[in-house]
Amino acid sequence: MEIAVIGNSEFIVGFRLAGIRKTYAADDDRKLVEQITNVLEDEGIGILVMNGSDMARIPQRLRITLENSIKPTVIAIGGEEGGLSIRERIKRSVGVDLWK
Amino acid sequence: MALRDIKPTRSELISIKRKIKLSERGYNILKMKRDGLILEFFKVLEQAKDSRGEMLNKYQKAAEMIALANTVEGKIGVKAAAFSVKETPEIELRNKNIMGVVVPEIKSSQVKKSLVNRGYGLLGTSSVIDEAAESFEDLVDTIIEAAEIETALKRLLDEIESTKRRVNALEFKVIPELTEAGAFIKMRLDEMEREELFRLKKIKARTSAKARTST
């Protein structure tokens, strides 16, 4: 299993430095969606790391797929998006907003 | 189940009583499962909050370091170093069981590397790149941990939701309907018994009247 990173070229270079090979550059929206679909089809990827601002840019349907996806697990960093989606789910499942 | 579909027979009453008993037992068990899941969920939630905060901090630090490296070495220099890193962190997924919910347990190997193992030359680059690489390795470590916890959280949430739905369906739909059906059958059976009794009395009265007139 490997880790994949999708983002603009500045975002991915650091992860490249940490030794992650599956880094995919996506500078515009179309490319972003294309790369995400590719990663979702790749069986060897266990974790997908994305930038929070990129997460906000992709179409809603794909975003929901990513948020609910368990393999690969999608982690959005830099930005509140990742936390917000979990917050919504907690509200729906437990009925109380526990994420504070 | 509409009331008109029920046959008011004794065997049906018995089977409905049995169904009520089964549903109530299932309801109690599911309620306990729901409570247990929520307790587990609270534990994971605390961890998730911590790991997310830590991840954000580390990301900010790593972003700063890479910006610094870009300034000192130039973008090309950083990229060249980045593309020469050979060692890839491998992760291994294993399954763990929390109250019947299968959650992944992620093990990672060699995210952190020593200076020599990174792959780019020691002499060609400055220490800024080393520091940037180190902070990103640190970040990846935290991301792996956060991924494990968040997946567990998501799975638990899904399970809590479906268990809650089942508990509610049993409590507010299945059990009341069965109880209603049971009451209906009981009423109909009683009614039929009374009718039967009345009929018998009527027949008895008629036969005794006939016997009186013949004598």
Side-chain angles (χ1 to χ4, degrees), chain A residues 1-2 10-11 14 16-19 21 67 70 73 75-78 86 89-90 92-93 98 100, chain B residues 41 49 52 55 59 75 82-83 85 87-91 93 113 136 151 154-155 157-158 161 164:
Chain A
M1 284 283 186
E2 277 185 79
E10 278 167 32
F11 182 71
R16 195 92 216 189
L17 209 52
R21 249 185 308 159
E67 277 163 9
I70 284 171
T73 306
I75 296 278
I77 56 172
I86 289 193
R89 293 187 66 177
I90 293 172
R92 204 182 60 211
S93 308
L98 291 165
K100 270 174 196 155
Chain B
F41 166 77
K49 276 189 209 162
R52 183 154 278 276
M55 196 170 74
Y59 174 63
K75 273 191 180 160
F83 276 82
V85 175
E87 297 267 325
T88 319
E90 277 280 320
I91 53 174
L93 284 176
K113 292 177 277 287
F136 264 94
T151 318
K154 278 183 193 168
R155 287 235 168 125
L157 278 177
D158 277 347
E161 208 179 321
K164 217 167 81 175

Side-chain angles (χ1 to χ4, degrees), chain A residues 42-57:
Chain A
D42 193 335
E43 291 280 316
I45 291 173
I47 300 172
L48 169 62
V49 183
M50 280 179 66
N51 199 339
S53 54
D54 284 340
M55 200 74 173
R57 262 169 42 201

Side-chain angles (χ1 to χ4, degrees), chain B residues 157-174:
Chain B
L157 278 177
D158 277 347
E159 193 66 22
I160 287 175
E161 208 179 321
S162 66
T163 314
K164 217 167 81 175
R165 202 156 284 181
R166 268 186 227 155
V167 169
N168 282 351
L170 279 175
E171 187 179 358
F172 298 111
K173 183 104 181 114
V174 177

